[in-house]
Amino acid sequence: MKLALLGAGRIGQVHAANIHLSPRAQLHAVVDVNPEAASALAQRYGAKASTDPKAVLNDPALAGVLVCTSTDTHVELILEAARRKLPVFCEKPIDLDLAKVDTCLQEVQRTGTPLIIGFNRRFDPHFRTLREGIRKGEVGDVEIVKITSRDPAPPSPAYVRTSGGIFRDMMIHDLDMARFLLGEEPVELFATGSCLVDPGIGQAGDIDTAMVVLKTQRGALCHIDNSRRAVYGYDQRIEVFGSKGMLQAANPVPTTVTRYTRDTVSVDKPYHFFLERYPEAYRAELDHFLDVIEKRAEPMVTGSDGRRSLILAEAAVQSLKLGRPVPVPG
């Protein structure tokens, strides 16, 4: 299957490498506003390079499209692909504006085009095993979900100003995971946060340390904590507690070797960041997209999932501003 990759940045390069390694796919074209970036990535994998997404999407040889560009271009590119009946994989978020997301999803639905949103953590083997344990009833009724997500170092204030803030940019992954694990929609949310890591982030109008508590109609609770800095590496842990027991997913580490010396007992630190932590998830995500293109599967992460996570992120912004719990819109 010949695929077009829109966006030659960091995440685009991850997808390009996985497409190249897949026996089922071929990187047919790379598009980027930076011609040098498009050319460099395309040459690496024997693809065409372009700065014109419409011209590339008009190629009848294409089987699907991956949108990995800046967030403000996602809706336009999704719609360009959908109008050509090309299955679309789009990195999160669809957009930062809920009205634009709704308009986009209505058009995608009208065309009947498959759309997958890049919440890659759903495809992580550790988290998927945890979810399967929940579905099999291993913890009974889910009562508490705890999600920890901490980056190794903060982004620049310049990035923060255009990112949509910690809830829309970072925690949105965890909000999706909360929905994935709870098995029911949150109806109430409380958010709090501070700027403890980088004063520049506060000057950019954001926070770098955040906590959110979600409550479902049944009363199940989910606690999420985020930090833009964890000095020991990329911290990604989940715990699910229920009426029959508990499931935990700990941080994977590069090796399982434990070192014993006169002075200390030590193990490897967690992986440094998401590229090292989630390689299996990105490969599984691509395989699923290829299954969807071949009509062997329905999208596991839909535009509706992207929309619901954005609604939760918006509720977190509102709760932080008001200093109290807020209802989550239906």
Side-chain angles (χ1 to χ4, degrees):
M1 284 172 274
K2 294 184 177 181
L3 304 177
L5 176 68
L6 311 184
R10 180 169 58 177
I11 194 62
Q13 293 175 38
V14 171
H15 291 305
N18 287 333
I19 293 167
H20 179 71
L21 292 172
S22 172
R24 304 167 61 196
Q26 175 187 342
L27 185 59
H28 186 63
V30 177
V31 179
D32 199 276
V33 294
N34 182 332
E36 290 79 16
S39 179
L41 189 58
Q43 288 181 13
R44 191 182 310 167
Y45 299 114
K48 302 175 183 177
S50 177
T51 59
D52 185 350
K54 291 183 181 180
V56 168
L57 294 178
N58 281 332
D59 189 335
L62 284 182
V65 181
L66 291 87
V67 178
C68 307
T69 52
S70 59
T71 298
D72 60 330
T73 66
H74 286 180
V75 166
E76 177 185 358
L77 295 173
I78 290 171
L79 293 178
E80 290 290 347
R83 289 168 188 144
R84 294 163 173 81
K85 306 290 186 181
L86 286 168
V88 184
F89 169 90
C90 181
E91 283 294 341
K92 64 81 191 169
I94 300 170
D95 196 85
L96 299 177
D97 184 301
L98 186 59
K100 288 183 67 176
V101 171
D102 286 342
T103 300
C104 175
L105 295 184
Q106 288 169 10
E107 179 67 12
V108 169
Q109 185 177 29
R110 187 191 66 79
T111 64
T113 305
L115 171 64
I116 295 175
I117 305 303
F119 285 122
N120 65 294
R121 297 179 192 178
R122 290 196 185 206
F123 296 91
D124 174 70
H126 308 282
F127 296 162
R128 289 187 74 171
T129 300
L130 191 150
R131 168 82 184 296
E132 285 304 308
I134 296 171
R135 294 183 66 180
K136 292 175 182 176
E138 292 177 11
V139 299
D141 294 329
V142 174
E143 297 170 350
I144 298 173
V145 175
K146 295 170 68 176
I147 301 174
T148 291
S149 181
R150 302 167 187 163
D151 287 353
S156 69
Y159 172 85
V160 167
R161 289 188 187 95
T162 60
S163 70
I166 194 169
F167 296 120
R168 300 184 190 95
D169 173 56
M170 180 179 176
M171 191 182 283
I172 196 167
H173 275 290
D174 307 303
L175 295 168
D176 177 71
M177 185 56 59
R179 295 180 61 244
F180 187 58
L181 298 176
L182 284 167
E184 54 185 319
E185 295 294 342
V187 297
E188 184 181 272
L189 180 152
F190 175 68
T192 188
S194 305
C195 192
L196 302 175
V197 176
D198 183 354
I201 290 177
Q203 293 164 10
D206 199 16
I207 56 174
D208 53 35
T209 308
M211 288 188 177
V212 159
V213 175
L214 304 164
K215 180 185 284 187
T216 70
Q217 187 68 49
R218 184 173 58 85
L221 300 173
C222 176
H223 172 273
I224 301 170
D225 79 80
N226 279 182
S227 175
R228 291 288 195 179
R229 180 216 54 221
V231 296
Y232 48 85
Y234 192 43
D235 194 355
Q236 301 280 288
R237 289 172 286 136
I238 295 177
E239 177 181 294
V240 180
F241 174 83
S243 58
K244 293 183 179 179
M246 180 173 68
L247 293 169
Q248 290 181 328
N251 284 314
V253 292
T255 75
T256 60
V257 174
T258 302
R259 296 167 177 84
Y260 298 83
T261 70
R262 182 188 301 273
D263 300 317
T264 187
V265 176
S266 63
V267 296
D268 288 357
K269 294 192 297 183
Y271 286 101
H272 175 65
F273 208 11
F274 68 94
L275 296 180
E276 296 86 2
R277 167 62 181 83
Y278 288 116
E280 299 96 343
Y282 287 117
R283 289 193 292 269
E285 188 178 55
L286 174 64
D287 283 341
H288 176 61
F289 182 45
L290 298 177
D291 287 342
V292 169
I293 292 173
E294 292 182 326
K295 295 181 170 51
R296 296 168 57 187
E298 293 296 319
M300 290 173 52
V301 194
T302 65
S304 177
D305 291 315
R307 180 182 184 275
R308 291 303 308 172
S309 295
L310 181 61
I311 287 173
L312 291 172
E314 295 291 348
V317 172
Q318 182 186 22
S319 176
L320 180 68
K321 182 179 179 180
L322 297 176
R324 60 173 173 80
V326 298
V328 177

